[in-house]
Amino acid sequence: MRTGRGPLGVFGWALTAGFAVIAAAGSASADDILVFQRTTNDPNGADTAGAGLEAALDAAGHNATLMSGLAVTVPADLSAYDSVFVLQLPGLTPSEQFALRNYVEQGGGLLVTGERPCCESLNSTVQQLVSSLAKVPPVIGQQGDLGDVFTAIPSAPSGLSSSPNALTQVLLGAAGGIGNVAPKHRWLSNTSSQIAAAAYPGEDIKKGSGCFIALMDLTTWTDGVHPGQDRAAIAGNMAAFLGDCGDTDGDGVSDEQGLLTGQS
């Protein structure tokens, strides 16, 4: 799991439904990223999300590896990857939760998806995982359908809305919600200030290292959904945050928090 980044330009501009979704320009280094999805033969196309996210990460300049299938399980050893992206409809098994928790506690960056009220059984297993990681855990699910259009909050942790790409609006698909999210963790919000994505850097992890993003939708990565959206810009920002957890000097405190407290 590397820290530190070099120049690799990414630029994009997308217009959807008459408004700017993303204005993107920036840089990031190439990380080795695992995209994991246990599929379900979903008739609505959810099984294509893993491949869509892999393509977006590759387009952002990263080296993404897709592990996808009806019977795949999260590997016990994830140390080869700079970050791990898990998106699926089935719940996480206890052994998968253990592997992912161990990965984060050893300094890894994790994206995990929840869902709308259709899938509270999935949400309950994501809840178990984030409760084992975060000092003050968010509430995964049980918030209803939050809609499709979300603002990328400018004050999101460690430049998640601005680095390497300037994100303004992000389109999801009938996303679920996250409760009990402190302002400093909020990333994507609808017009009612409900939260569909939240990020937790190392200082907010119980073990003091690693980080995670909880994103309450996988639809945005599926085939044919929001075709005008610059997926690479969104994926690139998530990879940038998760690649070093916003902690470029490796002291367990994000650079942003260090500036506020004088710790770095």
Side-chain angles (χ1 to χ4, degrees):
M1 291 171 278
R2 294 192 303 274
T3 62
R5 306 192 167 275
L8 180 73
V10 180
F11 180 82
W13 178 269
L15 292 176
T16 301
F19 56 84
V21 178
I22 296 168
S27 64
S29 65
D31 282 354
D32 295 317
I33 300 172
L34 175 65
V35 177
F36 178 89
Q37 183 180 23
R38 186 159 51 250
T39 56
T40 62
N41 290 325
D42 179 69
N44 298 312
D47 291 348
T48 67
L53 179 54
E54 178 194 29
L57 288 164
D58 285 343
H62 297 289
N63 304 315
T65 298
L66 175 62
M67 183 179 294
S68 177
L70 294 170
V72 297
T73 59
V74 173
D77 183 3
L78 296 165
S79 60
Y81 300 104
D82 295 300
S83 56
V84 174
F85 289 57
V86 178
L87 66 170
Q88 59 186 42
L89 297 180
L92 299 167
T93 67
S95 62
E96 289 174 330
Q97 292 180 46
F98 179 83
L100 294 170
R101 181 173 68 250
N102 186 57
Y103 175 72
V104 173
E105 289 177 348
Q106 291 182 5
L110 172 67
L111 168 79
V112 63
T113 60
E115 274 296 334
R116 55 189 292 272
C118 69
C119 310
E120 294 295 357
S121 59
L122 162 66
N123 292 341
S124 67
T125 66
V126 176
Q127 181 69 67
Q128 292 166 3
L129 174 61
V130 301
S131 293
S132 72
L133 289 171
K135 292 177 181 178
V136 182
V139 175
I140 302 296
Q142 305 177 47
Q143 313 293 314
D145 286 334
L146 272 58
D148 297 349
V149 181
F150 294 85
T151 296
I153 298 171
S155 60
S158 299
L160 189 51
S161 292
S162 59
S163 180
N165 307 294
L167 306 180
T168 55
Q169 288 179 311
V170 173
L171 302 179
L172 304 179
I178 308 176
N180 192 39
V181 182
K184 66 177 181 176
H185 297 307
R186 297 172 185 173
W187 180 29
L188 301 181
S189 172
N190 66 9
T191 56
S192 299
S193 298
Q194 296 170 297
I195 303 302
Y200 290 75
E203 63 265 20
D204 297 307
I205 302 298
K206 291 177 182 178
K207 293 290 186 178
S209 64
C211 59
F212 71 85
I213 298 171
L215 173 66
M216 296 300 290
D217 179 57
L218 57 70
T219 305
T220 194
W221 310 108
T222 58
D223 287 348
V225 175
H226 307 314
Q229 179 158 244
D230 189 345
R231 295 179 177 183
I234 302 167
N237 281 31
M238 293 193 299
F241 173 78
L242 296 175
D244 59 20
C245 296
D247 178 18
T248 57
D249 60 7
D251 66 353
V253 176
S254 67
D255 298 348
E256 184 176 57
Q257 180 69 13
L259 288 172
L260 291 174
T261 62
Q263 291 177 261
S264 63

